[in-house]
Amino acid sequence: MNENRPDPEAATAPDAWRLTRFFIPLAVQAASQSLCYPLVAMVASRGPGGPLDLAGLAQSNTVLFFLGISMISLVPTGMVYAQTREGYRRFYRLTMAIGFVMTTIQALLCIPAVSHALFAQVIGLPPSIEAPAQSTLLLSIPLQVIFFSRIPYFVVLYIGRATGIASLATIGRVVLTAALSPLFCLIDLVGPLWAVVALTIPVALEAVASGCFAQRFIRALPPSPERPPGLREILWFNTPLTVGGYFLVLATIAVAAFIARAADPERVLPAYYLALGLVNPLAFAATRIQTVMLAFPQTASFQRRTLRFALVAGLVMGLLPLTFILPGLAELYYVQLQNLHPDDLILVRKTAAALVLFPLVVAIRAQSEGVAAWRKKPFAVLAGHAALLMTIAGTGLAALGLTVPGYFIGAGCLTLGSLVSAGTMRVMLWLTRGNGVGGPGAAQ
């Protein structure tokens, strides 16, 4: 492959230190990507609607991610099928085709009548949150295009095990976002629309930098053997992962719908999203356990080791956001920077405490997803994600009936759903053991 790929003998059983060195750049990259959203939140929340503008932006971002969820499933697909020149070319074409379809759908959702039906009737947003959600969804169309353009570059860097290089462009994106957000506030370019602008510019530069970094790894890919993977084969593998990913984002939308129908949604929703804005980067970082699983040949001992690694990493990432609810720091971040009303700080603290186990169960789920992808069992992942959606639906309905507070509905649904999802995947893999294809190498 290239000089960055470790010796295959050593890669068969990486120890905890090697897993940590490989995972940390991935986690930093993932967390850094998500950290951009709380950074631009200060731009959105200083608009005329205050935290309501932020809640609207969060809702449009949820729809944006729902349409772009195939980007997440394309990463494991690429790590399996883009390990050769011809495989990479076909994977690249498939990624661009899916990106075009999703961007077109997003544009159709921005038609006023359709947008109103989505945000007001389906999700149930009040008018004060619906208006910024509609406008920011339209302005986020270029952002969707840029997101898809990065995926092949990230994949080839992961295949080359150059996670440190892959994280550099993302760190640069965060630094630029951190510089632009207070600058926009200083010169009074505030509100949800300017928040989208502050988010888009750094992402565009990140995509360009990632493309530059990836070029030598693309050139180093070996030629395919006699039968390179076809587009149909790649699409067949990716489709269950994509559908399962849609279940994940649909579950997130469902959680918001439950909170919107609980008591006092105009106070609880902004507080919930502010707390989730710090937890989500860590939970997203935990999903990169799946990439770790696909980067090394799997054995039973490796799977046990990575499960222990996922437990420790998930627990650490779950505890980190709690530092922001400490006296002094909570007032600085949530009240002064994010413009939250001081009376609502108690809601943020309760939400953050309730979300403490969320990154942990996400790490466990991601480890199960990695095992399933390696064994070429994408339908096991699909079943797990379907179980997550059904768990959230059932839990949310029961919680509404019991008049559970909205912030606890959100945290409880997300945590329990991911735990059930991981268990379902494990059961599916056990039921289909011995019937799968080998690891990524078998795809070639």
Side-chain angles (χ1 to χ4, degrees), residues 11 17 23 50 58 90 115 139 144 147 154 157 159 193 204 220 229 245 248 257 271 315 384 411 418 426:
W17 172 238
F23 174 71
R90 294 180 183 185
S115 181
L139 194 61
Q144 188 77 278
F147 280 153
F154 285 163
L157 289 169
I159 289 174
L193 297 181
L248 292 182
L315 182 60
S418 287
R426 290 292 180 178

Side-chain angles (χ1 to χ4, degrees), residues 31-67:
S32 297
Q33 289 173 338
S34 297
L35 280 173
C36 291
Y37 299 96
L39 285 172
V40 300
M42 67 177 71
V43 179
S45 61
R46 279 170 169 72
L52 296 175
D53 281 343
L54 173 60
L57 176 63
Q59 286 292 337
S60 70
N61 280 340
T62 300
V63 177
L64 178 80
F65 300 147
F66 178 77
L67 294 174

Side-chain angles (χ1 to χ4, degrees), residues 12-361:
T12 57
D15 57 19
W17 172 238
R18 189 175 181 192
L19 289 174
T20 302
R21 284 187 300 163
F22 184 83
F23 174 71
I24 285 179
L26 287 172
V28 169
Q29 183 185 38
S32 297
Q33 289 173 338
S34 297
L35 280 173
C36 291
Y37 299 96
L39 285 172
V40 300
M42 67 177 71
V43 179
S45 61
R46 279 170 169 72
L52 296 175
D53 281 343
L54 173 60
L57 176 63
Q59 286 292 337
S60 70
N61 280 340
T62 300
V63 177
L64 178 80
F65 300 147
F66 178 77
L67 294 174
I69 197 63
S70 56
M71 290 184 289
I72 298 176
S73 63
L74 282 166
V75 172
T77 299
M79 292 190 70
V80 172
Y81 287 98
Q83 298 189 22
T84 64
R85 295 172 192 169
E86 291 80 2
Y88 176 81
R89 293 191 190 104
R90 294 180 183 185
F91 170 72
Y92 182 89
R93 291 200 298 270
L94 179 65
T95 301
M96 295 301 103
I98 294 174
F100 175 78
V101 172
M102 294 300 107
T103 304
T104 301
I105 294 174
Q106 182 175 340
L108 294 175
L109 289 177
C110 293
I111 297 172
V114 179
S115 181
H116 175 71
L118 172 64
F119 289 115
Q121 299 175 17
V122 176
I123 300 179
L125 298 180
S128 56
I129 299 179
E130 177 195 354
Q134 289 178 321
S135 59
T136 52
L137 183 64
L138 176 63
L139 194 61
S140 297
I141 290 177
L143 190 61
Q144 188 77 278
V145 175
I146 299 169
F147 280 153
F148 272 96
S149 71
R150 305 174 309 171
I151 297 302
Y153 303 137
F154 285 163
V155 165
V156 78
L157 289 169
Y158 299 157
I159 289 174
R161 295 183 186 162
T163 55
I165 296 176
S167 67
L168 288 179
T170 303
I171 293 172
R173 166 191 166 187
V174 177
V175 171
L176 181 57
T177 306
L180 286 179
S181 295
L183 176 62
F184 277 32
C185 293
L186 183 65
I187 60 179
D188 204 30
L189 297 179
V190 293
L193 297 181
W194 283 110
V196 175
V197 174
L199 187 63
T200 303
I201 294 174
V203 174
L205 295 178
E206 177 196 27
V208 172
S210 299
C212 295
F213 292 151
Q215 291 308 307
R216 69 184 182 95
F217 293 91
I218 296 173
R219 291 192 296 268
L221 290 172
S224 290
E226 293 182 1
R227 193 191 70 84
L231 283 174
R232 181 178 298 179
E233 180 182 349
I234 302 174
L235 182 61
W236 176 252
F237 180 88
N238 183 73
T239 298
L241 301 180
T242 300
V243 175
Y246 285 139
F247 287 163
L248 292 182
V249 181
L250 187 59
T252 304
I253 296 175
V255 169
F258 287 129
I259 298 176
R261 287 163 173 81
D264 207 5
E266 292 197 358
R267 288 185 63 208
V268 175
L269 269 175
Y272 170 75
Y273 280 119
L274 282 173
L276 194 64
L278 292 178
V279 177
N280 258 344
L282 282 308
F284 189 44
T287 65
R288 295 305 175 92
I289 296 290
Q290 183 193 52
T291 305
V292 175
M293 299 297 295
L294 292 172
F296 299 95
Q298 290 192 22
T299 62
S301 62
F302 173 74
Q303 291 176 11
R304 289 192 298 268
R305 183 174 299 172
T306 51
L307 179 58
R308 292 194 297 269
F309 181 82
L311 291 171
V312 174
L315 182 60
V316 171
M317 288 185 284
L319 293 173
L320 288 176
L322 295 184
T323 59
F324 284 85
I325 66 174
L326 297 175
L329 189 56
E331 287 78 8
L332 173 63
Y333 177 75
Y334 289 113
V335 177
Q336 297 184 30
L337 291 181
Q338 301 296 0
N339 202 29
L340 180 73
H341 194 283
D343 292 342
D344 293 337
L345 193 57
I346 184 63
L347 294 175
V348 172
R349 284 194 165 105
K350 290 180 178 179
T351 304
L355 285 166
V356 67
L357 294 179
F358 182 47
L360 172 61
V361 295

